[in-house]
Structure formats: structure tokens, C-alpha cells
Amino acid sequence: MLTLTCPIETRWHPVPAGAKLIGLAAATLLVVALRTPLAVSAGLVVAALVYLAEGVGFARHGLRMLRPLWPFVAVLAIWHGVTGALADGVVIGARMLTAVALANLVTMTTRLDDMIAVVERAAQPLARLGLAPRTLAVAIALMVRFTPVLFEKYGRLGDAWKARCARRANWRLVLPGLLVALDDADHVAEALRARGGL
Amino acid sequence: MERNVSHIALFAALIAVLGLVPKIDLMSGVPITAQTLGIMLAGTVLGARRGALAVLLFLLLAALGLPILSGGRGGLGAFMGPSVGFLVGFPVAAFIAGLIVERWRVSIGIAALAGSLIGGIVVLYAFGIPGMALILGKTLPEAALLATPFLPGDLLKAVLAALITRGVMVVRPAALMSRP
């Protein structure tokens, strides 16, 4: 399955995932602490420059990753336009964009495998609470593997529906899709047990 | 043990698929994805603990960089945006929905409807609205106002979750782990 990692190599790609996550946490705390319109705008400009330093293509990719935020930016603009507290709106909007952009930067420059490795290392103390590292690893691997599998099977259910009916399937596919997932889960459980269990 | 892990993982995958494929069109023409339907079903079908763990696994992989949140979003940025409260509330919502189905021994359809309404709407909004208020710098009533457009869709999804859970009970009673 496609991940959100950006194929354009940047100077951030070789940095270890753990270091990037710690850096992101620090940067986010800093961004959230910004209060004045000037400081927040400066933060947004810095974030934009960090993206642009990796080239226009990368920056454009980063801008696409911010797309889900535009409706909220629009809501903020209208809201603060009506109430007249525009400076507050700028602070809130720019702070949100900066925080999300910085977080996206880590996601875009870190491979999924490296992220999973960090999580598995960080989760090791959980073994004492009964979550064995191997169990977590198996669960993550199963989820990553079966998302495209279920996606395809769901698509096939949709095709079968379209072949028989002109109306749209909408929610009527959810129950058969759910049954496919539950049956697959039973088969996987049997297969795991047959291979020595967890 | 194997059965628990495989059901948690497969359900996490199903929640991801539901966020990507079937667009349900509301009468207003606003397309809504079935992702929160998946959250409700995780609780009502798998039960409280397994349901919440399935949702946690789904969120973990979304945070790590799979584009599986509704509309193909994902990554750490999604957890910095205005919907962070809803994301945090997802596992709690599934847990409460599952708890109600497990403990309230009425017919499965009614229990699942109550679980979906209370878990998937009341509890979820109790997390989601403060999250929006925090990120967008609004008061709680103002944030609640911003969240109301999603309410009709979520009510519809709670009804669907109840119907689908009852469907599982009818065609595959052994698979309904919330009612062993």
C-alpha cells in the first residue's frame, strides 16, 4: 500500500526516526507557545522555508498534505471576519497550519518501517503489562497486509453489486464486507495457531 | 489469543477500508465516509476491550504514516489538526459501545443502537468538541455549533451500525464476540 512518505529525497530522510519525533515534540511545544500574530506568522514562514529548502516539488507535495485544513481555515476566516477579531484568527489559523506542517514533515520524510521500529522499541516496557513485543509486531504486520486485501475484496463486492443492480450499494456492502473480515480473521487465527501460535 | 489478535488486526484494517471506499450520500448531498461506522461496529461486534484495541491499532498505523483516516488523510499531522479530539475519542467510543452491548442483555439490535448512540456520538463528541475548541480557539458552545453538521450523518450511522450488528448476529452468531 502507498504510504505518505514522500519519494523526493530530502536532508531529513537519513535522520533517525526517533530523533525526528523528539525534535517534532519540541518544535510543537514551541509553536503552541507562540501568542502574537507576528511570532506566529514568523513560525509559519520558517515552516514554509524548511519545505522550500527541499525544492518546489517537495513544497508543493507538502501543501497538498495540508488540504484537509482548508475548510477549517475558511471557517476561521469567516468567523473572525464577522466578529472583527482578525488578529486572533490569524494567530489560531497560522499556529494550526504550522503545527500540522511540521508534523507532516516528519511523516513525509520517514519510512513506515522506521516508524514501526521506533514504536516496537518504545513499546518494550509494555511487555510487563502483558503486551508481548511479538504480539504487537504480528498485529501491526497483519493490519498493514490486510488493509489492501480487504480493500480489494470490498471492491469486488461492489463490482458484484453493480453487475446486478443499477442503484448505488452505499451501506448495503458494509455487512458482507464485515463478514469477509471476520472470516479472514478466523482463518488467520487458525494459520497462526498451526504455525506454533503467538 | 491468536483469535483475539487476528480479529483486532483485521477489524483495524476494516475501519481503514470503510474510511476509503463507500461514500454514503446524505440527502443534503454531503458525502460522508463510513469510518465512524467502523468505530461503532468495532465496539458492538468485537466487544469493549477488543474493539478499543482494534481502534488503537488503526490509529497507531494512521499516525505512523498510512493514509487511512477518512478521505485518505494520515500521518502525524492529522493528530495536530482540529479533528484530534475525535481521533482521541475513537477508542473510547468503541469501548463504551462494546461495553453497552456486552452488559445490557436486551435484544442485540437495541443494545447495539444504544451503544452506537452513546459511544459513537455522545462519548465521541465529548472528546471531539473540546478538541476543536482547543485547536480553533473557540469556546465549547461555539465548537459544538461547528460540529453539528456531522450530527445527522452520525445518527444515520448509529442506526446502520445497529442493523449491521443484528445482521451479524443473524448470519454468523459465533462471530459476534461482544455476545459470546
Side-chain angles (χ1 to χ4, degrees):
Chain A
M1 182 167 52
L2 285 175
T3 67
L4 294 170
T5 315
C6 184
I8 303 170
E9 271 299 311
T10 68
R11 75 193 71 188
W12 303 102
H13 277 79
V15 180
K20 273 186 279 195
L21 288 171
I22 292 168
L24 173 64
T28 305
L29 286 177
L30 200 71
V31 169
V32 172
L34 300 177
R35 287 278 175 264
T36 65
L38 194 69
V40 176
S41 308
L44 187 56
V45 169
V46 169
L49 287 176
V50 169
Y51 274 88
L52 280 170
E54 307 301 337
V56 177
F58 184 79
R60 201 172 292 150
H61 193 144
L63 209 56
R64 259 204 311 277
M65 296 271 293
L66 290 176
R67 217 170 25 193
L69 287 183
W70 297 135
F72 293 103
V73 172
V75 166
L76 282 174
I78 295 168
W79 190 291
H80 289 271
V82 171
T83 59
L86 266 177
D88 289 346
V90 170
V91 169
I92 295 164
R95 201 164 53 194
M96 176 176 78
L97 284 170
T98 312
V100 174
L102 291 176
N104 283 343
L105 185 66
V106 174
T107 298
M108 287 168 67
T109 62
T110 312
R111 292 187 318 128
L112 183 66
D113 296 353
D114 298 336
M115 284 286 202
I116 290 176
V118 170
V119 167
E120 287 181 351
R121 228 177 311 136
Q124 266 166 12
L126 292 179
R128 260 178 252 158
L129 298 174
L131 179 66
R134 186 172 138 72
T135 309
L136 180 66
V138 168
I140 290 177
L142 280 179
M143 149 99 191
V144 171
R145 181 64 193 97
F146 270 89
T147 302
V149 171
L150 287 185
F151 192 78
E152 199 206 308
K153 289 187 177 180
Y154 207 101
R156 253 184 272 150
L157 288 173
D159 291 342
W161 175 276
K162 267 186 246 156
R164 284 179 279 123
C165 188
R167 278 181 302 152
R168 294 201 40 197
N170 276 347
W171 62 276
R172 290 178 195 85
L173 291 181
V174 178
L175 177 59
L178 174 61
L179 292 175
V180 166
L182 291 173
D183 288 348
D184 278 357
D186 274 332
H187 296 152
V188 169
E190 271 170 36
L192 282 173
R193 253 196 308 272
R195 283 160 181 76
L198 288 171
Chain B
M1 180 64 183
E2 290 83 7
R3 197 155 179 260
N4 285 343
V5 172
S6 68
H7 275 77
I8 287 166
L10 269 285
F11 224 103
L14 182 72
I15 297 170
V17 171
L18 286 179
L20 303 177
V21 254
K23 287 262 176 19
I24 302 172
D25 284 316
L26 280 184
M27 31 277 168
S28 54
V30 183
I32 51 170
T33 69
Q35 192 135 69
T36 47
L37 179 60
I39 304 293
M40 294 170 184
L41 287 172
T44 59
V45 172
L46 291 187
R49 270 195 67 217
R50 280 178 295 255
L53 287 172
V55 177
L56 278 175
L57 181 63
F58 161 75
L59 288 178
L60 177 70
L61 269 299
L64 295 187
L66 289 187
I68 50 179
L69 296 173
S70 58
R73 292 172 305 133
L76 295 165
F79 291 81
M80 301 285 172
S83 28
V84 59
F86 290 97
L87 299 181
V88 172
F90 274 176
V92 189
F95 187 88
I96 299 294
L99 199 66
I100 290 170
V101 173
E102 283 172 8
R103 295 288 159 83
W104 199 30
R105 311 298 288 192
V106 291
S107 78
I108 183 71
I110 294 178
L113 181 63
S116 304
L117 286 173
I118 296 171
I121 297 182
V122 177
V123 173
L124 187 59
Y125 279 47
F127 281 87
I129 289 171
M132 276 176 76
L134 187 73
I135 303 285
L136 297 176
K138 299 280 159 283
T139 65
L140 286 179
E142 288 167 352
L145 186 71
L146 290 176
T148 40
F150 300 103
L151 196 56
D154 284 341
L155 286 170
L156 176 68
K157 280 184 256 184
V159 174
L160 291 179
L163 289 174
I164 291 163
T165 307
R166 208 191 48 173
V168 175
M169 179 67 136
V170 170
V171 296
R172 205 80 103 251
L176 201 68
M177 296 173 100
S178 56
R179 287 277 180 92

PDB file of all heavy atoms in Angstrom, chain A residues 27-47:
ATOM      1  N   ALA A  27       9.472  21.131  18.791  1.00  0.00           N
ATOM      2  CA  ALA A  27       9.028  22.201  17.897  1.00  0.00           C
ATOM      3  C   ALA A  27       7.554  22.510  18.100  1.00  0.00           C
ATOM      4  O   ALA A  27       7.137  23.672  18.080  1.00  0.00           O
ATOM      5  CB  ALA A  27       9.304  21.796  16.440  1.00  0.00           C
ATOM      6  N   THR A  28       6.754  21.450  18.322  1.00  0.00           N
ATOM      7  CA  THR A  28       5.318  21.658  18.509  1.00  0.00           C
ATOM      8  C   THR A  28       5.044  22.440  19.788  1.00  0.00           C
ATOM      9  O   THR A  28       4.214  23.360  19.801  1.00  0.00           O
ATOM     10  CB  THR A  28       4.582  20.303  18.542  1.00  0.00           C
ATOM     11  OG1 THR A  28       4.899  19.585  17.356  1.00  0.00           O
ATOM     12  CG2 THR A  28       3.086  20.496  18.625  1.00  0.00           C
ATOM     13  N   LEU A  29       5.748  22.085  20.858  1.00  0.00           N
ATOM     14  CA  LEU A  29       5.576  22.832  22.113  1.00  0.00           C
ATOM     15  C   LEU A  29       5.897  24.307  21.896  1.00  0.00           C
ATOM     16  O   LEU A  29       5.210  25.197  22.399  1.00  0.00           O
ATOM     17  CB  LEU A  29       6.471  22.244  23.202  1.00  0.00           C
ATOM     18  CG  LEU A  29       6.010  20.914  23.792  1.00  0.00           C
ATOM     19  CD1 LEU A  29       7.017  20.392  24.807  1.00  0.00           C
ATOM     20  CD2 LEU A  29       4.641  21.075  24.446  1.00  0.00           C
ATOM     21  N   LEU A  30       6.956  24.549  21.119  1.00  0.00           N
ATOM     22  CA  LEU A  30       7.367  25.924  20.833  1.00  0.00           C
ATOM     23  C   LEU A  30       6.269  26.655  20.052  1.00  0.00           C
ATOM     24  O   LEU A  30       5.892  27.785  20.391  1.00  0.00           O
ATOM     25  CB  LEU A  30       8.669  25.885  20.030  1.00  0.00           C
ATOM     26  CG  LEU A  30       9.506  27.147  20.016  1.00  0.00           C
ATOM     27  CD1 LEU A  30      10.138  27.351  21.384  1.00  0.00           C
ATOM     28  CD2 LEU A  30      10.593  27.049  18.948  1.00  0.00           C
ATOM     29  N   VAL A  31       5.756  25.996  19.013  1.00  0.00           N
ATOM     30  CA  VAL A  31       4.738  26.627  18.155  1.00  0.00           C
ATOM     31  C   VAL A  31       3.481  26.947  18.969  1.00  0.00           C
ATOM     32  O   VAL A  31       2.894  28.023  18.848  1.00  0.00           O
ATOM     33  CB  VAL A  31       4.397  25.707  16.964  1.00  0.00           C
ATOM     34  CG1 VAL A  31       3.169  26.214  16.227  1.00  0.00           C
ATOM     35  CG2 VAL A  31       5.582  25.614  16.023  1.00  0.00           C
ATOM     36  N   VAL A  32       3.077  26.009  19.827  1.00  0.00           N
ATOM     37  CA  VAL A  32       1.858  26.202  20.604  1.00  0.00           C
ATOM     38  C   VAL A  32       2.021  27.361  21.584  1.00  0.00           C
ATOM     39  O   VAL A  32       1.054  28.026  21.953  1.00  0.00           O
ATOM     40  CB  VAL A  32       1.491  24.887  21.331  1.00  0.00           C
ATOM     41  CG1 VAL A  32       0.349  25.102  22.309  1.00  0.00           C
ATOM     42  CG2 VAL A  32       1.108  23.828  20.317  1.00  0.00           C
ATOM     43  N   ALA A  33       3.278  27.630  21.984  1.00  0.00           N
ATOM     44  CA  ALA A  33       3.520  28.687  22.960  1.00  0.00           C
ATOM     45  C   ALA A  33       3.483  30.075  22.314  1.00  0.00           C
ATOM     46  O   ALA A  33       3.413  31.079  23.027  1.00  0.00           O
ATOM     47  CB  ALA A  33       4.861  28.461  23.647  1.00  0.00           C
ATOM     48  N   LEU A  34       3.530  30.129  20.949  1.00  0.00           N
ATOM     49  CA  LEU A  34       3.530  31.436  20.277  1.00  0.00           C
ATOM     50  C   LEU A  34       2.177  32.113  20.456  1.00  0.00           C
ATOM     51  O   LEU A  34       1.130  31.478  20.328  1.00  0.00           O
ATOM     52  CB  LEU A  34       3.839  31.263  18.786  1.00  0.00           C
ATOM     53  CG  LEU A  34       5.191  30.624  18.464  1.00  0.00           C
ATOM     54  CD1 LEU A  34       5.336  30.436  16.960  1.00  0.00           C
ATOM     55  CD2 LEU A  34       6.338  31.462  18.998  1.00  0.00           C
ATOM     56  N   ARG A  35       2.198  33.417  20.752  1.00  0.00           N
ATOM     57  CA  ARG A  35       0.941  34.097  21.090  1.00  0.00           C
ATOM     58  C   ARG A  35       0.621  35.293  20.182  1.00  0.00           C
ATOM     59  O   ARG A  35      -0.534  35.552  19.902  1.00  0.00           O
ATOM     60  CB  ARG A  35       0.999  34.594  22.548  1.00  0.00           C
ATOM     61  CG  ARG A  35       0.893  33.474  23.570  1.00  0.00           C
ATOM     62  CD  ARG A  35      -0.567  33.057  23.817  1.00  0.00           C
ATOM     63  NE  ARG A  35      -0.638  31.917  24.705  1.00  0.00           N
ATOM     64  CZ  ARG A  35      -0.739  30.654  24.309  1.00  0.00           C
ATOM     65  NH1 ARG A  35      -0.810  30.388  23.026  1.00  0.00           N
ATOM     66  NH2 ARG A  35      -0.788  29.670  25.177  1.00  0.00           N
ATOM     67  N   THR A  36       1.648  36.059  19.767  1.00  0.00           N
ATOM     68  CA  THR A  36       1.373  37.271  18.998  1.00  0.00           C
ATOM     69  C   THR A  36       1.283  36.950  17.507  1.00  0.00           C
ATOM     70  O   THR A  36       1.905  35.993  17.039  1.00  0.00           O
ATOM     71  CB  THR A  36       2.484  38.303  19.207  1.00  0.00           C
ATOM     72  OG1 THR A  36       3.694  37.779  18.654  1.00  0.00           O
ATOM     73  CG2 THR A  36       2.687  38.610  20.680  1.00  0.00           C
ATOM     74  N   PRO A  37       0.505  37.737  16.750  1.00  0.00           N
ATOM     75  CA  PRO A  37       0.387  37.486  15.308  1.00  0.00           C
ATOM     76  C   PRO A  37       1.742  37.471  14.624  1.00  0.00           C
ATOM     77  O   PRO A  37       1.990  36.650  13.737  1.00  0.00           O
ATOM     78  CB  PRO A  37      -0.461  38.664  14.816  1.00  0.00           C
ATOM     79  CG  PRO A  37      -1.196  39.142  16.008  1.00  0.00           C
ATOM     80  CD  PRO A  37      -0.325  38.855  17.195  1.00  0.00           C
ATOM     81  N   LEU A  38       2.641  38.374  15.056  1.00  0.00           N
ATOM     82  CA  LEU A  38       3.955  38.455  14.421  1.00  0.00           C
ATOM     83  C   LEU A  38       4.735  37.159  14.640  1.00  0.00           C
ATOM     84  O   LEU A  38       5.279  36.565  13.688  1.00  0.00           O
ATOM     85  CB  LEU A  38       4.725  39.652  14.995  1.00  0.00           C
ATOM     86  CG  LEU A  38       5.970  40.046  14.190  1.00  0.00           C
ATOM     87  CD1 LEU A  38       5.575  40.625  12.841  1.00  0.00           C
ATOM     88  CD2 LEU A  38       6.816  41.044  14.984  1.00  0.00           C
ATOM     89  N   ALA A  39       4.797  36.696  15.887  1.00  0.00           N
ATOM     90  CA  ALA A  39       5.563  35.489  16.215  1.00  0.00           C
ATOM     91  C   ALA A  39       4.996  34.274  15.481  1.00  0.00           C
ATOM     92  O   ALA A  39       5.747  33.470  14.912  1.00  0.00           O
ATOM     93  CB  ALA A  39       5.540  35.247  17.727  1.00  0.00           C
ATOM     94  N   VAL A  40       3.657  34.163  15.467  1.00  0.00           N
ATOM     95  CA  VAL A  40       3.039  33.011  14.812  1.00  0.00           C
ATOM     96  C   VAL A  40       3.294  33.043  13.310  1.00  0.00           C
ATOM     97  O   VAL A  40       3.617  32.023  12.698  1.00  0.00           O
ATOM     98  CB  VAL A  40       1.525  32.984  15.118  1.00  0.00           C
ATOM     99  CG1 VAL A  40       0.860  31.849  14.372  1.00  0.00           C
ATOM    100  CG2 VAL A  40       1.296  32.836  16.605  1.00  0.00           C
ATOM    101  N   SER A  41       3.177  34.232  12.712  1.00  0.00           N
ATOM    102  CA  SER A  41       3.435  34.341  11.268  1.00  0.00           C
ATOM    103  C   SER A  41       4.878  33.977  10.966  1.00  0.00           C
ATOM    104  O   SER A  41       5.166  33.299   9.967  1.00  0.00           O
ATOM    105  CB  SER A  41       3.150  35.761  10.786  1.00  0.00           C
ATOM    106  OG  SER A  41       1.862  36.155  11.200  1.00  0.00           O
ATOM    107  N   ALA A  42       5.793  34.427  11.835  1.00  0.00           N
ATOM    108  CA  ALA A  42       7.201  34.082  11.646  1.00  0.00           C
ATOM    109  C   ALA A  42       7.373  32.561  11.684  1.00  0.00           C
ATOM    110  O   ALA A  42       8.105  31.989  10.861  1.00  0.00           O
ATOM    111  CB  ALA A  42       8.055  34.744  12.726  1.00  0.00           C
ATOM    112  N   GLY A  43       6.678  31.910  12.608  1.00  0.00           N
ATOM    113  CA  GLY A  43       6.749  30.448  12.691  1.00  0.00           C
ATOM    114  C   GLY A  43       6.287  29.798  11.400  1.00  0.00           C
ATOM    115  O   GLY A  43       6.926  28.870  10.891  1.00  0.00           O
ATOM    116  N   LEU A  44       5.176  30.326  10.847  1.00  0.00           N
ATOM    117  CA  LEU A  44       4.649  29.754   9.602  1.00  0.00           C
ATOM    118  C   LEU A  44       5.638  29.956   8.457  1.00  0.00           C
ATOM    119  O   LEU A  44       5.849  29.065   7.630  1.00  0.00           O
ATOM    120  CB  LEU A  44       3.301  30.404   9.272  1.00  0.00           C
ATOM    121  CG  LEU A  44       2.529  29.811   8.090  1.00  0.00           C
ATOM    122  CD1 LEU A  44       2.289  28.326   8.287  1.00  0.00           C
ATOM    123  CD2 LEU A  44       1.200  30.529   7.907  1.00  0.00           C
ATOM    124  N   VAL A  45       6.271  31.149   8.433  1.00  0.00           N
ATOM    125  CA  VAL A  45       7.252  31.422   7.376  1.00  0.00           C
ATOM    126  C   VAL A  45       8.437  30.459   7.500  1.00  0.00           C
ATOM    127  O   VAL A  45       8.923  29.915   6.506  1.00  0.00           O
ATOM    128  CB  VAL A  45       7.730  32.897   7.447  1.00  0.00           C
ATOM    129  CG1 VAL A  45       8.934  33.117   6.536  1.00  0.00           C
ATOM    130  CG2 VAL A  45       6.592  33.828   7.060  1.00  0.00           C
ATOM    131  N   VAL A  46       8.899  30.235   8.729  1.00  0.00           N
ATOM    132  CA  VAL A  46      10.013  29.302   8.939  1.00  0.00           C
ATOM    133  C   VAL A  46       9.631  27.914   8.426  1.00  0.00           C
ATOM    134  O   VAL A  46      10.400  27.267   7.700  1.00  0.00           O
ATOM    135  CB  VAL A  46      10.401  29.239  10.434  1.00  0.00           C
ATOM    136  CG1 VAL A  46      11.359  28.081  10.694  1.00  0.00           C
ATOM    137  CG2 VAL A  46      11.026  30.555  10.875  1.00  0.00           C
ATOM    138  N   ALA A  47       8.420  27.461   8.774  1.00  0.00           N
ATOM    139  CA  ALA A  47       7.972  26.148   8.312  1.00  0.00           C
ATOM    140  C   ALA A  47       7.967  26.100   6.786  1.00  0.00           C
ATOM    141  O   ALA A  47       8.418  25.128   6.171  1.00  0.00           O
ATOM    142  CB  ALA A  47       6.583  25.838   8.875  1.00  0.00           C
TER     143      ALA A  47
END
